[in-house]
C-alpha cells in the first residue's frame, strides 16, 4: 500500500488539494480533521467542549466512522448520523483544535486512521500525520501558505456559503488556530525531518494540485 501524509496549518487547502490529487491517482482520501470536528460536534452537543473529564467519558459512547462513495468522496458518520455538513462551521473548527489537544481523543481516533491506511492506498491529511499517525508513510508533505492568504481563501469560501463574516475575524481565527495547533503538548503541528515543504501562497488551486501529484510521483 502507498501512504501519503499531508500535514499543515488550517486553511492551507489540504482537504481540497488532497481530495483532488487522490481522485486523479485513484487513492482513497482521508480527511482526519473531519474526525476531530465530529468529536467537537458531539462534545458541543453534550456540553463537554470545555470539560476534559466529561469529554473523555463521552468518548465511551461515541462512534465515528468514515464511508466512501463510488467517487471516493468521504462522509463522516457520528453515532449513525451523517454529519459531513454540520462539522464545517468556524465554531466547530475551533472546537476541533481544542479537542485535538486532549490525549484521550487522539488515542481514540488513532486506530481508525491507521486501519484505513493499512487497507488502502491513501492520501491522509491533518496536523500530525507524518509525525505520529503514519510515521512510515512513503511520502510526507507539509502543505502551507501565508496566514493572510489562508484567511483570504477561507473568507471567500464562507461568503460564498452565505455566511456573514469579516476578513479580520477570519484572519484572527487562522492565527489563533495556528498557535493552538503548533503549541499543544501532544503531537504539535510541525513538518517532520523528511517532509517536502509545499507553499501554495502564490499558486492557483490547479497548480497546487499538480505540485502535490508531482511530489507523490517523485517528479518534484
Amino acid at each position: 500500500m502507498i501512504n501519503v501524509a499531508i500535514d499543515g496549518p488550517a486553511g492551507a487547502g489540504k482537504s481540497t488539494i488532497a481530495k483532488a490529487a487522490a481522485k486523479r491517482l485513484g487513492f482513497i482520501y482521508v480527511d482526519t480533521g473531519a474526525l476531530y470536528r465530529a468529536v467537537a460536534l458531539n462534545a458541543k452537543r453534550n456540553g463537554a467542549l470545555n470539560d476534559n473529564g466529561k469529554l473523555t467519558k463521552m468518548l465511551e459512547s461515541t462512534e465515528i466512522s468514515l464511508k466512501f462513495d463510488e467517487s471516493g468522496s468521504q462522509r463522516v458518520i457520528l453515532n449513525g448520523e451523517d454529519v459531513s455538513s454540520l462539522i464545517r462551521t468556524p465554531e466547530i473548527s475551533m472546537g476541533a483544535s481544542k479537542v485535538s489537544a486532549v490525549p484521550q481523543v487522539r488515542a481514540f481516533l488513532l486506530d481508525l486512521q491507521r486501519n484505513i491506511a493499512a487497507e488502502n492506498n491513501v492520501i491522509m491529511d491533518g496536523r500530525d500525520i507524518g509525525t505520529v499517525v503514519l510515521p512510515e508513510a512513503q511520502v510526507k508533505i507539509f502543505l502551507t501558505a501565508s496566514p493572510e492568504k489562508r484567511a483570504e481563501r477561507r473568507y471567500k469560501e464562507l461568503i460564498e456559503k452565505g455566511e456573514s463574516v469579516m476578513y479580520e475575524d477570519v484572519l484572527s481565527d487562522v492565527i489563533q488556530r495556528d498557535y493552538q495547533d503548533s503549541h499543544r503538548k501532544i503531537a504539535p503541528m510541525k513538518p517532520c525531518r523528511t517532509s517536502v515543504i509545499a507553499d501554495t501562497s502564490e499558486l492557483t488551486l490547479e497548480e497546487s494540485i499538480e505540485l502535490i501529484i508531482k511530489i507523490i510521483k517523485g517528479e518534484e
Side-chain angles (χ1 to χ4, degrees), residues 10-16 37 87-90 149-165 170:
K14 295 188 303 297
S15 298
T16 302
R37 287 171 179 269
I87 59 176
R88 298 296 173 183
T89 67
K149 182 61 70 172
R150 287 184 282 127
E152 178 186 320
R153 293 169 181 169
R154 180 63 175 156
Y155 172 74
K156 289 179 179 177
E157 179 184 320
L158 292 170
I159 291 297
E160 288 174 1
K161 289 182 178 179
E163 297 190 28
S164 178
V165 292
V170 177

Side-chain angles (χ1 to χ4, degrees), residues 58-108:
M58 181 200 76
L59 294 175
E60 297 175 6
S61 59
T62 300
E63 292 185 5
I64 298 175
S65 61
L66 299 179
K67 291 186 177 180
F68 301 91
D69 60 25
E70 292 181 356
S71 68
S73 294
Q74 172 183 286
R75 308 301 296 178
V76 184
I77 312 301
L78 170 63
N79 297 330
E81 175 190 359
D82 187 335
V83 296
S84 303
S85 60
L86 299 178
I87 59 176
R88 298 296 173 183
T89 67
E91 180 183 14
I92 296 302
S93 178
M94 292 302 293
S97 181
K98 187 175 294 185
V99 302
S100 68
V102 179
Q104 292 87 345
V105 173
R106 306 197 73 82
F108 173 73

Side-chain angles (χ1 to χ4, degrees), residues 84-144:
S84 303
S85 60
L86 299 178
I87 59 176
R88 298 296 173 183
T89 67
E91 180 183 14
I92 296 302
S93 178
M94 292 302 293
S97 181
K98 187 175 294 185
V99 302
S100 68
V102 179
Q104 292 87 345
V105 173
R106 306 197 73 82
F108 173 73
L109 295 175
L110 186 59
D111 285 343
L112 171 60
Q113 297 169 71
R114 286 180 172 170
N115 288 341
I116 295 172
E119 298 169 359
N120 302 277
N121 291 328
V122 302
I123 296 181
M124 187 177 292
D125 74 4
R127 301 288 187 279
D128 64 343
I129 308 304
T131 53
V132 177
V133 181
L134 300 178
E136 303 303 319
Q138 292 92 334
V139 181
K140 297 179 181 180
I141 300 168
F142 192 82
L143 184 66
T144 189

Side-chain angles (χ1 to χ4, degrees), residues 13 16-17 20 24 153 203-211:
T16 302
I17 295 168
R24 296 184 193 183
R153 293 169 181 169
L203 301 182
T204 64
L205 175 58
E206 182 58 33
E207 288 171 339
S208 299
I209 295 168
E210 290 178 358
L211 172 61

